[in-house]
Amino acid sequence: MAKLKVAVFISSRGSNMQSLVRACSDPEFPAEIVSVLSNNPEAAGLKFAAEHSIATRVIDHRDFASRAEFEAEINRYLETVKVDLICLAGFMRLLTADFVNRWRDRILNIHPSLLPAFKGLHVHERAIESGARFTGCTVHYVRPEMDDGPIIAQAVVPILQDDTPDALAARILEQEHRLYPLALRLVASKRVKIHGSRVLIENGAEESAVLINPPLDIS
Ligand code: GRF
């Protein structure tokens, strides 16, 4: 089966992009990263992608008068690289409904909370402040509303008594690096079916894989 061609959109560090690139380096993995696109010319992740012989492209939103023009340039570029799927990975620009609808069911995002809780920014501060015992991360299909869309996979991370936003973010990021490759593998192997607002995983054996629930390790 032909591999799914993926463009990863980043804005800075790009550690989730790196986890996808590493997963795709396995010849058996059903997807390949054909491009890494950034709206920020300074994004650290661009260097990693170039070093791994992946095409990179900067489309700086500040060069465009409107979001629509910025996105039109992205679309022109994506047509040239023949992309099947977009993975947002720390891409810090909101996408318009026009863009999202054009790519409907072909854009994934990773968000560092257990959606639908804690959409938006400053999620770790808000999760700690809420008093919740657990948070985590989510890979989901993108819909026009921010951090909305059918959930593919989640990882649960406990919130510890003395947690700081940075410490919690670091533990969640470790799980993000496991979760995004897992979700992409499921999508690329066509086992993910969208039913309204829900995702069902075809092939029951894979179903348990969509929840990563590491045990609380208190010694
Ligand atoms: C991650 O926490 C991701 O969930 C969020 O932004 C962060 C990006 O980190 N959307 P990186 O650039 O992938 O290292």
Side-chain angles (χ1 to χ4, degrees):
M1 195 161 62
K3 290 191 183 222
L4 200 74
K5 294 183 189 309
V6 177
V8 185
F9 287 15
I10 64 170
S11 291
S12 57
R13 182 176 55 188
S15 70
N16 277 290
M17 174 273 293
Q18 294 185 25
S19 76
L20 294 177
V21 168
R22 291 203 175 92
C24 289
S25 69
D26 175 352
E28 301 294 311
F29 199 84
E32 61 179 318
I33 311 295
V34 294
S35 179
V36 172
L37 183 146
S38 176
N39 65 303
N40 171 15
E42 308 299 325
L46 288 169
K47 185 164 174 278
F48 174 92
E51 283 169 1
H52 286 74
S53 308
I54 294 169
T56 59
R57 177 66 182 259
V58 174
I59 301 180
D60 189 335
H61 60 283
R62 292 167 299 191
D63 294 341
F64 298 87
S66 67
R67 231 175 252 280
E69 287 167 60
F70 167 60
E71 292 175 353
E73 182 64 19
I74 295 178
N75 277 323
R76 271 193 292 276
Y77 171 65
L78 293 179
E79 272 164 28
T80 66
V81 281
K82 307 221 182 318
V83 161
D84 300 312
L85 184 84
I86 296 169
C87 287
L88 305 180
F91 185 66
M92 299 306 283
R93 303 301 300 166
L94 288 176
L95 295 166
T96 65
D98 277 352
F99 186 91
V100 171
N101 289 333
R102 178 185 176 134
W103 288 91
R104 190 179 169 88
D105 300 343
R106 293 187 297 154
I107 313 183
L108 310 185
N109 182 43
I110 187 155
H111 182 76
S113 77
L114 290 178
L115 291 174
F118 307 119
K119 298 179 177 185
L121 296 174
H122 308 297
V123 287
H124 308 305
E125 288 90 330
R126 287 160 50 218
I128 293 170
E129 192 55 31
S130 75
R133 295 297 188 195
F134 291 97
T135 181
C137 48
T138 303
V139 177
H140 64 98
Y141 284 101
V142 171
R143 293 290 181 259
E145 296 290 307
M146 185 181 59
D147 298 326
D148 188 44
I151 290 169
I152 300 165
Q154 294 187 306
V156 176
V157 175
I159 299 176
L160 306 180
Q161 202 120 293
D162 56 355
D163 248 339
T164 62
D166 284 351
L168 181 58
R171 295 203 315 285
I172 291 175
L173 194 64
E174 273 179 38
Q175 299 307 317
E176 292 183 44
H177 296 162
R178 299 172 65 197
L179 193 71
Y180 217 166
L182 173 112
L184 177 58
R185 184 168 60 77
L186 290 174
V187 169
S189 54
K190 314 264 185 272
R191 272 172 286 175
V192 170
K193 299 286 175 233
I194 302 173
H195 289 255
S197 59
R198 297 182 66 204
V199 158
L200 302 180
I201 308 296
E202 281 187 352
N203 177 358
E206 293 288 347
E207 196 173 345
S208 60
V210 294
L211 175 66
I212 297 181
N213 184 196
L216 180 58
D217 181 15
I218 302 176
S219 43

